[in-house]
Amino acid sequence: MADLQTPLVRPKRKKVLVDYLVQFRWILVIFVVLPASALIYFNIYLGDMWSAMKSEKKRQKEHEDNVQKVVKRLKQRNPKKDGLVCTARKPWIAVGMRNVDYKRVRHFEVDLSAFRNILEIDPERMVAKVEPLVNMGQISRATCPMNLSLAVVAELDDLTVGGLINGYGIEGSSHIYGLFSDTVVALEIVLADGRVVRATKDNEYSDLFYGVPWSQGTLGFLVSAEIKLIPIKEYMRLTYTPVKGPLKEVAQAYADAVAPRDGDPAKVPDFVEGMVYSATEGVMMTGVYASKEEAKKKGNKINSVGWWFKPWFYQHAQTALKKGEFVEYIPTREYYHRHTRCLYWEGKLILPFGDQFWFRFLFGWLMPPKVSLLKATQGDAIRNYYHDNHVIQDMLVPLYKVGDALEFVHHEMEVYPLWLCPHRLFKLPVKTMIYPEPGFEHQQRQGDTSYAQMFTDVGVYYTPACIFRGEEFDGAESVKRLEQWLIENHSYQPQYAVTELNEKDFWRMFDASHYEHCRHKYGAVGTFMSVYYKSKKGRKSEKEVQEAEAAILEPAYADEA
């Protein structure tokens, strides 16, 4: 790897009109997006409260009625002319950055917008039954007062259960529980032929249960999920530990936070995350649930990070680099959603002065802008600008390769801060789209067990430093090199992001065997889009639609080197 302290020499870039549209986009955000976002959030909150006031029996009855509407709508489809099936959700509503180009050609829509209710919270079974549009803010609002929580609560309020199961979801507790989909107990799915089935890991639909994660809704419509609950306490005791040194040393300090070298399970924290602020500095955070009595003991510091005027969390954590290690207690629900208000650190680009005290105090209550509105108001020119000059990618890499990943990102993109979040990748009864390295259990590497390999999400979200220096950056080529690095290192790219992969390389990264088994067994071929079809960048042609309808499928390339 080249000298990390010496940036690559890139040619200077001339500014064009879209640069100024992006630079002054904050005007539109302040006067349009933020007020509209606040109204939408308030309307959603009222809807959630109205739903919570209904009896469990009534919510279940409404759910059953809505499921039958989906079945009826599917049966109305004429396979010869109506196109492939997808949801009726507008392309800009999704939180992910993918263009959703598959909705720009002929397709058959099914409306799932009514599926946003918490159907049941069962403290005895320790399971929450929810519909797919229930989001993380909604479920944590319902469970935290009961001292219960989902085992994995993705940080941003707007992330939905359906997206996290069909796609990808992670949190600082994933080094214990795995990805969000690993915490699912049962799935209720409407298949292509209108059948409604309940899939669990040990019933007759177990293959479907294991096939749904990462399938992007291409095996059937998820209409409810039963998800594992865990007991929690009122506060999170959070320790901020600064790390200074080369990226490999930062990565090792992070690995030690995830999995203490002596292997003592009592030292494994409930939550772990890291933030890397430069090529030589990072802060590791470890959290342990704590009671209200402990948090309020004399001498302990309580920090309610959820207040609108508080410093943005990533900047607050960064203060550990100056003042050294410190400990504080954060209300648990506020800790869960610590990155919501500033959208990790993307808020700094959207509103350059949004982190200033005067703005936080006067207007912080309006934050965050709704991602869907940001996308709806950007237009094609700004959207393409972000694809070319901005990076929003996650790299799921084995824990022992985190140092290599950090050096690659620095050399290729020079994006900071970087987010580090560990997760177990379990060895399952079937080989799903993502799977641990073969033979990992014999290597006895740090963090691994006999049943799971420890991976890490390296979150790359920001504008590359070369753009700030006025230099050229080819976003598409950079992402291509990132994707090839992932393939070569048995690593994965979540599909919410813009991908440059062709179909052959897509199936080199992911394994197609079990997914294609489910596609054929449950009649999804020719009805639902394939996962590559949905992920592929660029508008689909009518020919592609016709070929997919006729089930003219390309071979899977999972076994190629």
Side-chain angles (χ1 to χ4, degrees):
M1 189 64 67
D3 180 7
L4 297 181
Q5 301 303 316
T6 305
L8 292 177
V9 178
R10 305 174 191 257
K12 290 293 183 181
R13 176 178 172 275
K14 291 183 179 180
K15 282 194 171 185
V16 294
L17 176 61
V18 70
D19 287 285
Y20 297 100
L21 293 177
V22 170
Q23 182 180 349
F24 295 103
R25 193 177 174 213
W26 60 266
I27 298 173
L28 180 67
V29 172
I30 283 184
F31 293 106
V32 177
V33 175
L34 278 181
S37 297
L39 290 174
I40 291 173
Y41 282 127
F42 183 64
N43 185 57
I44 291 172
Y45 174 78
L46 292 179
D48 293 345
M49 293 299 100
W50 175 248
S51 173
M53 291 170 61
K54 297 176 184 177
S55 69
E56 185 179 304
K57 184 177 180 180
K58 184 174 183 180
R59 291 197 299 269
Q60 184 61 41
K61 178 64 169 60
E62 289 179 355
H63 171 76
E64 292 168 359
D65 291 344
N66 289 327
V67 169
Q68 289 308 307
K69 290 177 183 177
V70 171
V71 172
K72 181 180 178 181
R73 173 66 175 158
L74 271 176
K75 291 182 176 180
Q76 291 172 348
R77 173 177 176 261
N78 183 339
K80 295 182 179 180
K81 68 175 185 179
D82 283 337
L84 297 170
V85 175
C86 64
T87 69
R89 186 172 64 170
K90 299 300 181 185
W92 46 269
I93 291 180
V95 175
M97 300 311 296
R98 201 175 64 225
N99 285 351
V100 198
D101 289 312
Y102 60 84
K103 289 192 176 181
R104 303 173 75 184
V105 292
R106 182 168 56 87
H107 60 276
F108 184 82
E109 294 186 345
V110 177
D111 187 5
L112 300 182
S113 61
F115 290 90
R116 56 180 315 108
N117 294 312
I118 298 172
L119 300 176
E120 180 185 11
I121 296 174
D122 188 339
E124 293 184 5
R125 290 178 59 218
M126 292 298 281
V127 164
K129 184 178 181 181
V130 299
E131 293 181 321
L133 292 184
V134 169
N135 63 37
M136 294 297 98
Q138 182 182 356
I139 189 68
S140 66
R141 190 184 304 117
T143 59
C144 284
M146 304 167 67
N147 277 355
L148 297 174
S149 172
L150 299 183
V152 174
V153 183
E155 289 89 348
L156 302 183
D157 286 25
D158 273 356
L159 296 174
T160 63
V161 166
L164 296 169
I165 293 174
N166 283 311
Y168 150 84
I170 195 171
E171 163 61 303
S173 59
S174 289
H175 66 300
I176 298 173
Y177 302 105
L179 297 176
F180 189 89
S181 55
D182 293 314
T183 68
V184 172
V185 176
L187 301 170
E188 184 185 13
I189 299 170
V190 181
L191 300 176
D193 61 3
R195 282 182 296 155
V196 182
V197 301
R198 181 177 182 268
T200 70
K201 65 181 179 180
D202 51 14
N203 73 357
E204 60 183 307
Y205 300 106
S206 61
D207 53 354
L208 185 61
F209 177 83
Y210 288 117
V212 165
W214 292 74
S215 71
Q216 297 293 318
T218 60
L219 298 178
F221 283 125
L222 175 66
V223 289
S224 76
E226 296 168 48
I227 308 171
K228 178 180 180 178
L229 292 171
I230 61 170
I232 62 170
K233 298 179 182 178
E234 296 90 347
Y235 285 85
M236 187 66 64
R237 182 184 187 274
L238 197 63
T239 302
Y240 302 78
T241 303
V243 181
K244 297 186 179 183
L247 287 174
K248 286 289 181 71
E249 292 183 13
V250 172
Q252 185 57 58
Y254 162 75
D256 292 342
V258 174
R261 294 196 203 191
D262 61 9
D264 184 355
K267 295 180 181 178
V268 176
D270 295 320
F271 279 78
V272 181
E273 77 174 327
M275 284 185 268
V276 183
Y277 293 95
S278 73
T280 58
E281 294 181 325
V283 176
M284 306 305 144
M285 286 148 283
T286 54
V288 178
Y289 286 113
S291 66
K292 180 167 55 176
E293 291 74 22
E294 178 186 339
K296 294 189 175 182
K297 284 182 180 178
K298 186 176 181 180
N300 289 341
K301 179 183 178 183
I302 293 177
N303 181 11
S304 297
V305 298
W307 285 103
W308 76 91
F309 53 83
K310 287 281 188 172
W312 289 355
F313 184 77
Y314 83 95
Q315 293 180 341
H316 171 65
Q318 191 174 10
T319 62
L321 293 171
K322 290 186 177 180
K323 65 182 183 181
E325 182 174 291
F326 65 96
V327 177
E328 63 185 13
Y329 291 79
I330 300 175
T332 296
R333 185 169 184 270
E334 295 181 24
Y335 174 76
Y336 285 160
H337 303 294
R338 61 200 178 278
H339 292 301
T340 290
R341 194 154 43 94
C342 57
L343 301 174
Y344 288 92
W345 28 89
E346 289 286 341
K348 182 67 174 173
L349 289 175
I350 299 165
L351 290 170
F353 44 78
D355 58 343
Q356 300 300 305
F357 177 77
W358 66 268
F359 182 89
R360 298 198 316 268
F361 187 79
L362 294 176
F363 304 109
W365 58 276
L366 288 169
M367 294 290 284
K370 202 160 179 59
V371 174
S372 57
L373 287 184
L374 290 173
K375 292 168 67 177
T377 57
Q378 66 185 7
D380 285 344
I382 293 178
R383 182 182 71 172
N384 293 333
Y385 174 92
Y386 282 134
H387 287 179
D388 294 336
N389 300 287
H390 190 76
V391 181
I392 297 184
Q393 295 284 339
D394 285 88
M395 306 166 65
L396 307 191
V397 304
L399 178 62
Y400 74 95
K401 292 186 176 181
V402 169
D404 294 336
L406 293 179
E407 289 188 345
F408 173 84
V409 172
H410 178 90
H411 185 264
E412 182 64 47
M413 299 172 173
E414 203 180 347
V415 167
Y416 292 101
L418 297 172
W419 187 58
L420 302 179
C421 186
H423 72 91
R424 277 179 167 158
L425 190 53
F426 291 102
K427 185 167 62 173
L428 300 173
V430 296
K431 192 177 184 182
T432 56
M433 284 182 63
I434 66 168
Y435 54 95
E437 291 179 297
F440 76 91
E441 62 271 34
H442 304 302
Q443 300 298 322
Q444 298 183 335
R445 296 189 182 99
Q446 188 174 7
D448 292 354
T449 66
S450 61
Y451 55 86
Q453 184 177 10
M454 193 65 74
F455 270 60
T456 284
D457 181 341
V458 179
V460 189
Y461 327 123
Y462 212 57
T463 297
C466 62
I467 295 293
F468 293 122
R469 294 194 295 264
E471 299 168 358
E472 289 187 358
F473 176 76
D474 190 329
E477 287 301 316
S478 190
V479 169
K480 286 180 182 179
R481 288 189 287 271
L482 178 146
E483 290 167 338
Q484 291 306 312
W485 188 95
L486 292 173
I487 291 170
E488 292 164 5
N489 288 274
H490 194 93
S491 302
Y492 303 100
Q493 174 193 43
Q495 298 143 343
Y496 79 86
V498 175
T499 178
E500 301 290 338
L501 290 170
N502 59 37
E503 187 167 11
K504 182 175 180 178
D505 282 341
F506 185 88
W507 292 120
R508 287 177 63 211
M509 181 181 290
F510 302 102
D511 190 88
S513 54
H514 185 72
Y515 170 73
E516 288 295 348
H517 158 79
C518 291
R519 289 267 297 165
H520 285 82
K521 179 177 177 180
Y522 294 104
V525 176
T527 300
F528 290 100
M529 304 168 185
S530 74
V531 67
Y532 177 72
Y533 181 102
K534 288 190 75 171
S535 302
K536 178 184 174 184
K537 181 180 177 182
R539 184 167 181 167
K540 278 63 177 172
S541 66
E542 176 61 21
K543 181 183 178 183
E544 287 179 283
V545 178
Q546 292 172 355
E547 288 178 346
E549 288 174 317
I552 302 173
L553 302 177
E554 294 294 323
Y557 296 92
D559 295 332
E560 293 207 11

